[in-house]
Amino acid sequence: MKADDDTVDKGPGAGRPRDPRIDAAILAATAELLVEIGYPNVTMAAIAERAGTTKTALYRRWPGKAELVHEAAFPAAPTALDERSGDIAADIHAMIAAARDIFTSPVVRAALPGLIADMAADTELNDRVMGRFTQVFSVVRQRIVEAVRSGEVNPAVDPDRLVELIGGGTLMRLLMQPQQPLGDDWVDQTAAIVVHGVQK
């Protein structure tokens, strides 16, 4: 017997709280299916069947497949700087290593191409999905602002451009050479380019 949704919305203060076990089962089922059959073949019906619940339960939690896949691939907003070293070069290296670790997980690798295509075709979807990264973006931005104030970073550096370079560079590398590993040497070289630039 499938477990239906555990929430009945009858107004403020009414209804039972959502069962986190159903949420966990849905997210686990989504992650498994992504790796097994790929983003294009994953459907809400397949997820519901794998999770032992109903499509209604899914749609009460997530507006659609893309939002659900995004949460399954990124269960928590990534943190690029769990601990700041006090040295901007080391912190940028940590940001790049964190991006590498996030994007190279099997679930994220399976989700990204299709998820990016759906987000590119729907600006509202893109805004909803990217909104889950607001916190990590703000942490990186604040670190650069502090580094500019302390004289570690050129004041012409835009924190938002740095976020784009780190995330975009990692993503491009994965899309262009999906079978090639991103080792520590790639992180080291990329960090060196970001920190020191290309001029002699």
Side-chain angles (χ1 to χ4, degrees), residues 1 12 57 61 93 97 135 142 163 172 181 190:
M1 180 178 179
R61 290 165 165 80
H93 188 282
Q135 183 176 358
Q142 184 59 34
V163 171
M172 179 61 74
T190 305

Side-chain angles (χ1 to χ4, degrees), residues 1-195:
M1 180 178 179
K2 293 182 183 292
D4 205 342
D5 190 17
D6 48 327
T7 305
V8 179
D9 186 4
K10 298 178 181 177
R16 293 176 296 164
R18 254 170 42 181
D19 186 343
R21 293 172 298 180
I22 295 178
D23 291 49
I26 293 170
L27 292 169
T30 304
E32 292 168 4
L33 287 169
L34 282 167
V35 175
E36 291 174 15
I37 62 177
Y39 183 92
N41 299 312
V42 173
T43 64
M44 296 295 265
I47 295 168
E49 182 176 359
R50 174 68 65 92
T53 186
T54 65
K55 286 198 297 181
T56 300
L58 271 61
Y59 282 112
R60 283 178 177 161
R61 290 165 165 80
W62 293 276
K65 169 182 165 179
E67 289 90 350
L68 173 51
V69 165
H70 190 267
E71 188 166 340
F74 305 97
T79 54
L81 287 175
D82 290 324
E83 295 183 9
R84 302 184 189 191
S85 69
D87 174 64
I88 190 61
D91 286 345
I92 288 175
H93 188 282
M95 294 174 197
I96 295 170
R100 183 271 312 268
D101 293 344
I102 291 163
F103 286 131
T104 54
S105 78
V107 177
V108 173
R109 277 183 178 270
L112 274 179
L115 188 58
I116 290 171
D118 282 354
M119 290 168 62
D122 186 337
T123 56
E124 292 185 1
L125 170 63
N126 182 77
D127 290 343
R128 290 197 302 272
V129 169
M130 293 307 296
R132 297 188 65 238
F133 286 134
T134 300
Q135 183 176 358
V136 67
F137 291 161
S138 66
V139 169
V140 172
R141 186 178 296 110
Q142 184 59 34
R143 178 64 183 97
I144 300 305
V145 169
E146 292 171 359
V148 168
R149 288 175 183 163
S150 67
E152 290 181 278
V153 168
N154 186 320
V157 172
D158 185 327
D160 292 321
R161 298 297 78 75
L162 179 61
V163 171
E164 291 172 3
L165 282 171
I166 292 173
T170 308
L171 184 57
M172 179 61 74
R173 172 63 166 70
L174 285 171
L175 293 176
M176 296 294 289
Q177 301 181 54
Q179 305 306 319
Q180 297 297 319
L182 266 70
D184 291 339
D185 58 338
W186 181 87
V187 174
D188 294 342
Q189 293 164 11
T190 305
I193 293 171
V194 173
V195 172

